[in-house]
Amino acid sequence: MSLRETLSNTWDHVQGFLFPMLREEIGPLTAQHQRLVVVLEVAGVEAFVRTWPGLPGRPLKDRHALARSFVAKAVLGLATTAALIERLAVDRTLRRLCGWERAASVPGESTFSRAFAEFARSGLPGRAHEALIKQTHKDRLVGHISRDATAIEAREKPARTAPAEKAPKRKRGRPKKGEAGPAKEPRRLERQVNMTLAAMLADLPTACAVGTKRNAKGHKTSWIGYKLHIDTADGDIPVSCLLTSASVHDSQVALPLATITAGRVTNLYDLMDSAYDAPEIAERSRALGHVPIIDPNPRRGGKAEAEAEARARRCAGHALAEDIRFKERSAAERVNSALKDSYGARFVRVRGHDKVLCHLMFGILALAAEQLMRLVT
């Protein structure tokens, strides 16, 4: 069954059965309630909640309702868990959509915090997102994958870095004939070429750090926190994500991210900006059967010739096919801005890599579900 047929059947089920049943059972649904119903139906996050019934001791609060509540927090763009609890206390429809009949049944902040820690350790939203992408894209050929990273500000102190070891002193001047010079340590990108996916992920720094980048106006900006690397498919659908320290360069995450994406979707073109202009990245893209389209990095030389050639093409009214396809990379910018403006990525109130990733992945899951349904609506 094609992607359109699958999503059309889901939308027909939601429109023809789920909405009328909920209106009769719960009452009128606002636009926000309808959005949440669609996301919960498409994401199916309850199926990935780990429960252990029959254990001794006091039974745990309903983890299914708590998981649905965190999805609702991302869909509604609520900044804090306290705001979510207040909304559940006054919004009867939202409360029943999440799974609680009475306001007194909604647990307190401490229970929400413990449940969130469990979800972070088990990678709940990440597993639900991976299953959603594989299910909806197993028979779909994706035209373009747009790769980019965005800054994630966190409320924690950056981790202390160990001082670099001093290189042993050597004699000044050129080495003698037949004498080997000091061996250079390979860069992380060079090491990743012969590493497995698990080794590449283990080699990436994930602690909170200070990041610096140059904005669109050419000014350097800095932040404390993390960096979220996203591969976006046509239709503004995030298909895979990795969270690293803010100090990690974008190019160092390209190979593991490309490997993860290749295991979930089949695509034709990889679109990347000049930060990914490295021969190792282009070679890995071709090895996966893709066509890399990477914006040239001026630091590699040939900037004046490239600018003169671009001016000549503009004067002649000619545009290369690669330049036209590269415009599709704006999907990555739209996903980054939507994630921050509408799905809570701008309000990170948890600490630690696992919890920050869990918070962001609830937003990624909700964003992917809504974008998938927009393909048919």
Side-chain angles (χ1 to χ4, degrees):
M1 186 180 294
S2 65
L3 174 62
R4 178 168 289 276
E5 291 174 349
T6 302
L7 297 179
S8 296
N9 293 340
T10 304
W11 181 245
D12 292 341
H13 170 73
V14 171
Q15 283 283 79
F17 171 74
L18 199 55
F19 280 167
M21 185 269 291
L22 290 174
R23 292 191 185 100
E24 182 178 350
E25 181 73 18
I26 299 178
L29 299 174
T30 65
Q32 285 188 333
H33 293 148
Q34 293 181 12
R35 284 182 58 209
L36 178 59
V37 169
V38 172
V39 171
L40 291 174
E41 179 68 17
V42 175
V45 69
E46 313 87 8
F48 302 91
V49 177
R50 296 174 179 174
T51 57
W52 296 270
L55 292 178
R58 184 178 180 181
L60 298 175
K61 296 291 184 181
D62 189 1
R63 291 303 190 254
H64 293 91
L66 289 165
R68 294 166 71 92
S69 299
F70 283 116
V71 175
K73 178 183 175 183
V75 172
L76 302 178
L78 300 176
T80 62
T81 302
L84 171 63
I85 295 174
E86 291 179 4
R87 181 71 178 269
L88 289 169
V90 300
D91 193 335
R92 175 176 174 269
T93 301
L94 175 63
R95 186 169 63 247
R96 297 192 65 182
L97 289 176
C98 291
W100 290 294
E101 292 292 334
R102 299 178 295 110
S105 302
V106 179
E109 283 191 64
S110 59
T111 302
F112 272 89
S113 178
R114 288 192 296 269
F116 185 84
E118 293 177 11
F119 298 155
R121 286 193 297 268
S122 64
L124 169 67
R127 291 185 287 114
H129 174 256
E130 179 182 359
L132 175 64
I133 296 301
K134 287 183 176 179
Q135 179 185 1
T136 54
H137 288 72
K138 58 184 178 181
D139 297 324
R140 183 192 182 197
L141 180 62
V142 177
H144 310 88
I145 288 292
S146 302
R147 186 164 296 132
D148 198 10
T150 184
I152 301 297
E153 296 184 5
R155 291 188 171 187
E156 56 182 301
K157 292 183 179 180
R160 292 184 177 181
T161 57
E165 296 182 0
K166 293 183 178 180
K169 293 184 178 181
R170 65 182 185 88
K171 295 180 180 180
R172 297 178 61 183
R174 296 176 59 184
K176 296 180 180 179
K177 187 175 182 180
E179 181 181 351
K184 291 185 178 180
E185 184 179 354
R187 298 177 294 117
R188 176 176 284 121
L189 192 57
E190 296 172 344
R191 298 197 307 267
Q192 288 177 342
V193 173
N194 300 317
M195 296 170 66
T196 62
L197 176 60
M200 286 190 286
L201 295 178
D203 188 51
L204 290 174
T206 56
C208 178
V210 179
T212 303
K213 68 175 182 179
R214 195 179 299 274
N215 59 21
K217 296 183 179 179
H219 303 296
K220 284 188 176 181
T221 58
S222 299
W223 76 97
I224 297 176
Y226 302 87
K227 187 180 287 187
L228 182 64
H229 308 260
I230 307 176
D231 270 5
T232 304
D234 292 335
D236 299 357
I237 303 171
V239 297
S240 58
C241 311
L242 285 176
L243 185 70
T244 66
S245 300
S247 57
V248 175
H249 194 266
D250 296 359
S251 62
Q252 299 179 6
V253 192
L255 299 191
L257 194 59
T259 305
I260 295 174
T261 301
R264 299 182 181 182
V265 301
T266 302
N267 68 287
L268 301 177
Y269 296 89
D270 291 334
L271 310 182
M272 293 165 273
D273 61 16
S274 58
Y276 300 90
D277 186 14
E280 295 87 355
I281 297 176
E283 184 178 351
R284 176 59 62 89
S285 178
R286 297 188 188 96
L288 293 172
H290 308 156
V291 177
I293 301 180
I294 306 175
D295 191 25
N297 194 325
R299 289 175 293 183
R300 293 190 172 274
K303 180 179 179 180
E305 294 80 357
E307 291 179 350
E309 185 178 354
R311 284 195 301 269
R313 284 200 300 267
R314 286 196 299 268
C315 293
H318 175 67
L320 296 176
E322 291 81 0
D323 295 339
I324 297 175
R325 287 193 178 276
F326 191 76
K327 295 179 181 179
E328 298 293 330
R329 192 187 159 277
S330 59
E333 305 294 343
R334 290 192 295 270
V335 167
N336 291 341
S337 61
L339 189 63
K340 290 185 175 182
D341 296 339
S342 305
Y343 295 93
R346 205 180 298 277
F347 309 107
V348 178
R349 300 293 185 264
V350 292
R351 297 178 180 179
H353 173 268
D354 292 343
K355 289 186 177 182
V356 172
L357 178 60
C358 183
H359 173 82
L360 296 173
M361 287 307 301
F362 273 116
I364 288 286
L365 177 62
L367 174 59
E370 287 206 271
Q371 289 301 124
L372 283 168
M373 294 310 299
R374 286 197 179 109
L375 296 179
V376 294
T377 57

